[in-house]
Amino acid sequence: DKENKIYHTAARNWEELSPTRSSKYAQSDVGGTYREVKRDLKAGKQVLYSGTPCQIAGLLNYLGKTDQSKLVTVDLVCHGTPSNKMLITYLHRLAEARGIKYKEIKGFDFRQRESWGITPSFEYEGKRILLRPEENVYMRLFLSSRLHRPCCYQCPYAMPERISDITLADFWGIGKKKAFLYDTKAGCSLVLPNSDKGKQIFKEISGNLFFERRDWDEALRYNHQLRQKSDLPKDRDRAARSLLNDSLDKTYQIFFNTPTKRLRRLAGKILKTLHLR
């Protein structure tokens, strides 16, 4: 929304669907969508509901004995979710670092695709601004599992047995165990049809997709959240406090620009130059 709070919403046409696209690495507020789902199901409408596994569990628990024959649930292989407060505070820090007003930051994109890779960006005065390395602390802390809500470190849904009809994820590491003969620079999706309903839906749309069946162990190898929950880092609380209270530069220096990390980056550049990496 205008305050950069992430929330669930219903989409009944392509125009309403568009804002829900793209990755958003913070907890989404489900609001009144559970009630909407129950109402639509009782009216005989088909509903597809997507979210994290715990949000799907909440929906199914809320629906109880409501007829769910027209409901399709889709979850994702969830790494964990920071709170909206973490994200909004970070964007305030980003505005301070740029010398602009917080409300002038528009359309934050966690994964903008560039020719050389994926990077976060934000919109300012109609222009797309790429983040500098020292500004990208939110995603760095997220990927190192330092910003998750405490309950995420005890997640009961990080396992092969999924709660939804279909599970979606990035297929990390595809081709490392067994050759995959197609370009994955733009990404490659992992799709797990889990229930009879999920399998039937995938069968119905498969004619419009390019897909290839892969080994289950390959999917597990680099998607560790399919096997186990994220471990609680020893410095998780320190990282959260730093993001909430310190400048982006200070947080960057504490966690990502120590002498050891600078030495590792230098060694990596040397190895890459020598074509040894």
Side-chain angles (χ1 to χ4, degrees), residues 190-212:
L190 170 67
V191 183
L192 302 175
N194 304 309
S195 67
D196 290 340
K197 188 187 297 182
K199 293 173 184 177
Q200 179 60 33
I201 290 172
F202 186 81
K203 181 179 179 180
E204 291 174 5
I205 67 172
S206 61
N208 298 318
L209 303 174
F210 166 76
F211 71 96
E212 180 177 304

Side-chain angles (χ1 to χ4, degrees), residues 37 47-51 55-57 59-60 63 68 70-76 163-167 192 194-195 197-198 201:
V37 170
V47 178
L48 184 147
Y49 196 97
S50 64
Q55 289 172 332
I56 300 300
L59 171 65
L60 298 177
L63 292 175
Q68 299 174 25
K70 291 192 174 183
L71 172 66
V72 180
T73 55
V74 179
D75 71 358
L76 49 89
I163 196 168
S164 296
D165 295 308
I166 297 172
T167 295
L192 302 175
N194 304 309
S195 67
K197 188 187 297 182
I201 290 172

Side-chain angles (χ1 to χ4, degrees), residues 124-163:
Y124 172 66
E125 294 186 340
K127 298 179 180 179
R128 182 59 58 178
I129 310 296
L130 301 182
L131 265 61
R132 296 186 285 259
E134 63 271 19
E135 295 173 334
N136 191 21
V137 298
Y138 183 92
M139 282 300 294
R140 286 170 177 258
L141 290 172
F142 169 80
L143 292 172
S144 60
S145 302
R146 289 182 171 112
L147 290 186
H148 303 342
R149 297 173 63 87
C151 58
C152 294
Y153 302 108
Q154 304 298 324
C155 179
Y157 304 105
M159 60 176 65
E161 294 76 27
R162 310 303 295 176
I163 196 168

Side-chain angles (χ1 to χ4, degrees), residues 224-238:
H224 77 272
Q225 295 290 136
L226 274 173
R227 304 190 310 269
Q228 63 188 51
K229 58 186 179 294
S230 292
D231 294 327
L232 174 63
K234 293 180 180 179
D235 59 355
R236 183 269 174 193
D237 290 346
R238 183 187 179 198

Side-chain angles (χ1 to χ4, degrees), residues 85-86 89-90 93 96 237-248 250-251:
K85 181 180 179 180
M86 288 288 189
T89 301
Y90 165 69
R93 298 284 178 263
E96 292 170 1
D237 290 346
R238 183 187 179 198
R241 286 195 302 269
S242 183
L243 184 66
L244 291 172
N245 300 304
D246 298 330
S247 67
L248 293 188
K250 184 174 181 179
T251 303

